[in-house]
Amino acid sequence: MQSDSMRSMQIDFHIRLTVLLSVFLIFFFNIYGLFSLVRKRLSEIFLNLIVAVGNIFIAAMAVTFFLRDFEYSRMVIIYSAVFGFMLLALWQYVMHQIEVKHLPIPTVFVAADSEEQERLKTKIRKTYGLEKSTLKFISTDNETDTIKQIEASDIVLIGESLPVEEKEHIFHIANEKKKMVILVPTLYEISCSKMYLWQIDDLPTQRVSRMLLTLEQRILKRTLDIVVAVTALILLSPVMLVTAVIVKLDSPGPIIYSQVRVGRFGKEFKVHKFRSMRQDAEAKTGPVLAGENDPRITKFGHFMRATRLDELPQLINVLKGEMSIVGPRPERPFFVEQFIKEKPEYAYRHNVKPGITGLAQIAGKYNTTAYDKLVYDLIYIQNVSVTYDLTLMLQTLKVLITKESTEGVK
């Protein structure tokens, strides 16, 4: 009788665990974009799958620890994670091959001035699934020819260099011809991406977002920051201790490197990092961005930068309220001054607290141009929410094992 009761408990537990794991799988597959394989490299798919299965494995371990009603072998979960990864990898591979086989090589119509055309052409040639695409370029002298080129294209890519009137005209033609439209946004387009109905008498108007967080957003974001920072400091304290010892043994100089950065509303503060460069790194050069194969970086510094270990002391900055977990990366006053002179809209990224991670770090690379990073940062500011922050935190795990994300400036 007791044996039957125990068996019934085991079956009930496994059913509940299966349901929970299915929910975790759907959640993490959505976070890491594994439900859509279009125009993705196999290496990217498998990397996302490793991180997703790793998260599911951790979640399963937590569930069996807190909710178990009997002794449950952790080895079963490990074997399940390995076997599950193999099956999922095989499924993803087969589906990817089917999509690649049936996905036609697209024709891309590029609407931009001559200078931006070259930049967009380079980016397209580096994009998986578009590298062999046929490119057509705007013909400003002949509208009939432009219409024909759009008709013969699959994708219409509108650059940020064209006047608004011309963008609207091309957009209208592309929509009329049922073409996919991709826009390289300016500050104007990003600002207009999130608008609210505003009536003046019976006249319908739209209020443009000021790219400022509401009081509710600030409170929720601050609460999330404190919870995550305290939890991370507790869990990662052994890692930080070992890192500190290795930094001290690796090269002479202080363990923690503090540097002035620009924070919210332009207020300066000192950001803290584990030192990854020689103590006299900028003694002769002054402020210089880290370059590719930079000789100033120490041996252990390369590893810390690749794994983002050098950023861990910034959790203290988060607790002090100077930074957030997610937000635009804080930059040095010297470079901020230069960037604002080139692009005045760069100042808008200071409407929120800087972050340890952010959309620009996840979607871009270290050597992504300042303007492209700015676009990512402004898009993030327009879409700030607790859910979005949690999503970006989880996606940061993938960046930690992606070598290209830490490439220096060439």
Short mmCIF file of all heavy atoms in Angstrom, two decimals, residues 19-31 34-35 49 52-53 56 84 88 91:
data_model
loop_
_atom_site.label_atom_id
_atom_site.label_comp_id
_atom_site.label_asym_id
_atom_site.label_seq_id
_atom_site.Cartn_x
_atom_site.Cartn_y
_atom_site.Cartn_z
N VAL A 19 5.42 19.32 -17.08
CA VAL A 19 4.67 20.53 -17.44
C VAL A 19 5.55 21.76 -17.24
O VAL A 19 5.63 22.65 -18.11
CB VAL A 19 3.38 20.65 -16.61
CG1 VAL A 19 2.72 22.01 -16.86
CG2 VAL A 19 2.41 19.52 -16.97
N LEU A 20 6.24 21.83 -16.09
CA LEU A 20 7.11 22.97 -15.80
C LEU A 20 8.25 23.08 -16.81
O LEU A 20 8.56 24.17 -17.29
CB LEU A 20 7.68 22.85 -14.38
CG LEU A 20 6.79 23.35 -13.25
CD1 LEU A 20 7.39 22.99 -11.90
CD2 LEU A 20 6.57 24.85 -13.35
N LEU A 21 8.87 21.94 -17.14
CA LEU A 21 9.97 21.95 -18.11
C LEU A 21 9.48 22.38 -19.49
O LEU A 21 10.21 23.05 -20.23
CB LEU A 21 10.62 20.56 -18.20
CG LEU A 21 11.44 20.13 -16.97
CD1 LEU A 21 12.01 18.73 -17.18
CD2 LEU A 21 12.57 21.12 -16.70
N SER A 22 8.27 22.02 -19.84
CA SER A 22 7.70 22.44 -21.13
C SER A 22 7.52 23.95 -21.15
O SER A 22 7.80 24.61 -22.16
CB SER A 22 6.35 21.75 -21.37
OG SER A 22 6.51 20.35 -21.43
N VAL A 23 7.06 24.51 -20.01
CA VAL A 23 6.91 25.96 -19.91
C VAL A 23 8.27 26.63 -20.00
O VAL A 23 8.43 27.64 -20.71
CB VAL A 23 6.21 26.34 -18.58
CG1 VAL A 23 6.22 27.85 -18.39
CG2 VAL A 23 4.78 25.81 -18.57
N PHE A 24 9.27 26.09 -19.29
CA PHE A 24 10.62 26.64 -19.35
C PHE A 24 11.17 26.60 -20.78
O PHE A 24 11.81 27.54 -21.24
CB PHE A 24 11.56 25.85 -18.43
CG PHE A 24 11.32 26.08 -16.97
CD1 PHE A 24 11.48 25.05 -16.04
CD2 PHE A 24 10.92 27.33 -16.50
CE1 PHE A 24 11.26 25.26 -14.69
CE2 PHE A 24 10.69 27.55 -15.14
CZ PHE A 24 10.86 26.51 -14.25
N LEU A 25 10.91 25.48 -21.47
CA LEU A 25 11.42 25.33 -22.84
C LEU A 25 10.82 26.39 -23.76
O LEU A 25 11.54 27.03 -24.54
CB LEU A 25 11.10 23.92 -23.37
CG LEU A 25 11.69 23.58 -24.74
CD1 LEU A 25 12.14 22.12 -24.78
CD2 LEU A 25 10.69 23.82 -25.87
N ILE A 26 9.51 26.58 -23.67
CA ILE A 26 8.85 27.60 -24.50
C ILE A 26 9.39 28.98 -24.18
O ILE A 26 9.68 29.79 -25.07
CB ILE A 26 7.32 27.55 -24.29
CG1 ILE A 26 6.76 26.23 -24.84
CG2 ILE A 26 6.64 28.74 -24.97
CD1 ILE A 26 5.31 25.99 -24.47
N PHE A 27 9.56 29.26 -22.87
CA PHE A 27 10.04 30.57 -22.43
C PHE A 27 11.45 30.85 -22.95
O PHE A 27 11.70 31.89 -23.56
CB PHE A 27 10.02 30.64 -20.90
CG PHE A 27 10.62 31.89 -20.33
CD1 PHE A 27 9.94 33.10 -20.42
CD2 PHE A 27 11.87 31.88 -19.72
CE1 PHE A 27 10.49 34.27 -19.90
CE2 PHE A 27 12.43 33.04 -19.21
CZ PHE A 27 11.73 34.23 -19.30
N PHE A 28 12.39 29.93 -22.74
CA PHE A 28 13.77 30.16 -23.13
C PHE A 28 13.96 30.07 -24.64
O PHE A 28 14.83 30.75 -25.20
CB PHE A 28 14.71 29.19 -22.40
CG PHE A 28 14.89 29.51 -20.95
CD1 PHE A 28 14.43 28.65 -19.96
CD2 PHE A 28 15.50 30.69 -20.56
CE1 PHE A 28 14.59 28.95 -18.62
CE2 PHE A 28 15.66 31.01 -19.21
CZ PHE A 28 15.21 30.13 -18.25
N PHE A 29 13.18 29.24 -25.32
CA PHE A 29 13.25 29.20 -26.79
C PHE A 29 12.81 30.55 -27.36
O PHE A 29 13.37 31.02 -28.36
CB PHE A 29 12.37 28.08 -27.34
CG PHE A 29 13.14 26.81 -27.59
CD1 PHE A 29 14.01 26.31 -26.63
CD2 PHE A 29 13.00 26.10 -28.78
CE1 PHE A 29 14.73 25.15 -26.85
CE2 PHE A 29 13.72 24.95 -29.02
CZ PHE A 29 14.58 24.46 -28.05
N ASN A 30 11.82 31.16 -26.73
CA ASN A 30 11.36 32.47 -27.19
C ASN A 30 12.41 33.54 -26.91
O ASN A 30 12.68 34.40 -27.76
CB ASN A 30 10.05 32.83 -26.48
CG ASN A 30 9.50 34.16 -26.94
OD1 ASN A 30 9.23 34.38 -28.12
ND2 ASN A 30 9.33 35.09 -26.01
N ILE A 31 13.04 33.49 -25.71
CA ILE A 31 14.07 34.46 -25.34
C ILE A 31 15.24 34.43 -26.31
O ILE A 31 15.75 35.46 -26.75
CB ILE A 31 14.58 34.19 -23.91
CG1 ILE A 31 13.50 34.52 -22.87
CG2 ILE A 31 15.86 35.00 -23.61
CD1 ILE A 31 13.20 35.98 -22.71
N LEU A 34 14.71 30.74 -30.81
CA LEU A 34 14.89 29.41 -31.40
C LEU A 34 13.63 28.89 -32.10
O LEU A 34 13.63 27.78 -32.64
CB LEU A 34 15.33 28.42 -30.32
CG LEU A 34 16.77 28.60 -29.85
CD1 LEU A 34 17.01 27.81 -28.57
CD2 LEU A 34 17.76 28.20 -30.93
N PHE A 35 12.56 29.66 -32.08
CA PHE A 35 11.36 29.26 -32.82
C PHE A 35 11.44 29.69 -34.28
O PHE A 35 10.66 29.23 -35.12
CB PHE A 35 10.11 29.85 -32.18
CG PHE A 35 9.71 29.16 -30.91
CD1 PHE A 35 9.64 29.84 -29.71
CD2 PHE A 35 9.42 27.80 -30.91
CE1 PHE A 35 9.27 29.21 -28.53
CE2 PHE A 35 9.05 27.15 -29.73
CZ PHE A 35 8.98 27.85 -28.54
N LEU A 49 21.02 27.37 -28.44
CA LEU A 49 20.45 26.14 -27.88
C LEU A 49 21.20 25.70 -26.63
O LEU A 49 20.59 25.27 -25.64
CB LEU A 49 20.49 25.03 -28.93
CG LEU A 49 19.78 23.72 -28.57
CD1 LEU A 49 18.31 23.97 -28.29
CD2 LEU A 49 19.93 22.69 -29.69
N ALA A 52 20.10 28.01 -23.87
CA ALA A 52 18.70 27.74 -23.51
C ALA A 52 18.59 26.46 -22.68
O ALA A 52 17.93 26.43 -21.63
CB ALA A 52 17.84 27.64 -24.77
N VAL A 53 19.24 25.38 -23.15
CA VAL A 53 19.19 24.11 -22.41
C VAL A 53 19.87 24.25 -21.05
O VAL A 53 19.42 23.68 -20.06
CB VAL A 53 19.85 22.98 -23.24
CG1 VAL A 53 20.00 21.71 -22.41
CG2 VAL A 53 19.03 22.69 -24.49
N ILE A 56 17.37 25.86 -18.81
CA ILE A 56 16.32 24.89 -18.46
C ILE A 56 16.86 23.90 -17.42
O ILE A 56 16.15 23.54 -16.47
CB ILE A 56 15.85 24.13 -19.73
CG1 ILE A 56 15.17 25.11 -20.69
CG2 ILE A 56 14.89 23.01 -19.36
CD1 ILE A 56 14.88 24.52 -22.06
N GLY A 84 18.43 15.59 -24.15
CA GLY A 84 17.49 16.57 -24.70
C GLY A 84 18.17 17.53 -25.66
O GLY A 84 17.62 17.86 -26.71
N LEU A 88 17.17 18.04 -29.55
CA LEU A 88 16.79 19.39 -29.99
C LEU A 88 17.75 19.90 -31.06
O LEU A 88 17.33 20.56 -32.01
CB LEU A 88 16.76 20.35 -28.79
CG LEU A 88 15.62 20.16 -27.79
CD1 LEU A 88 15.86 20.98 -26.53
CD2 LEU A 88 14.28 20.54 -28.43
N TRP A 91 16.85 18.22 -34.26
CA TRP A 91 15.61 18.81 -34.79
C TRP A 91 15.89 20.18 -35.40
O TRP A 91 15.42 20.48 -36.51
CB TRP A 91 14.59 18.91 -33.65
CG TRP A 91 13.38 19.72 -34.01
CD1 TRP A 91 12.52 19.52 -35.05
CD2 TRP A 91 12.89 20.88 -33.31
NE1 TRP A 91 11.53 20.49 -35.05
CE2 TRP A 91 11.73 21.33 -33.99
CE3 TRP A 91 13.30 21.56 -32.17
CZ2 TRP A 91 11.00 22.43 -33.57
CZ3 TRP A 91 12.57 22.66 -31.75
CH2 TRP A 91 11.44 23.08 -32.45
#
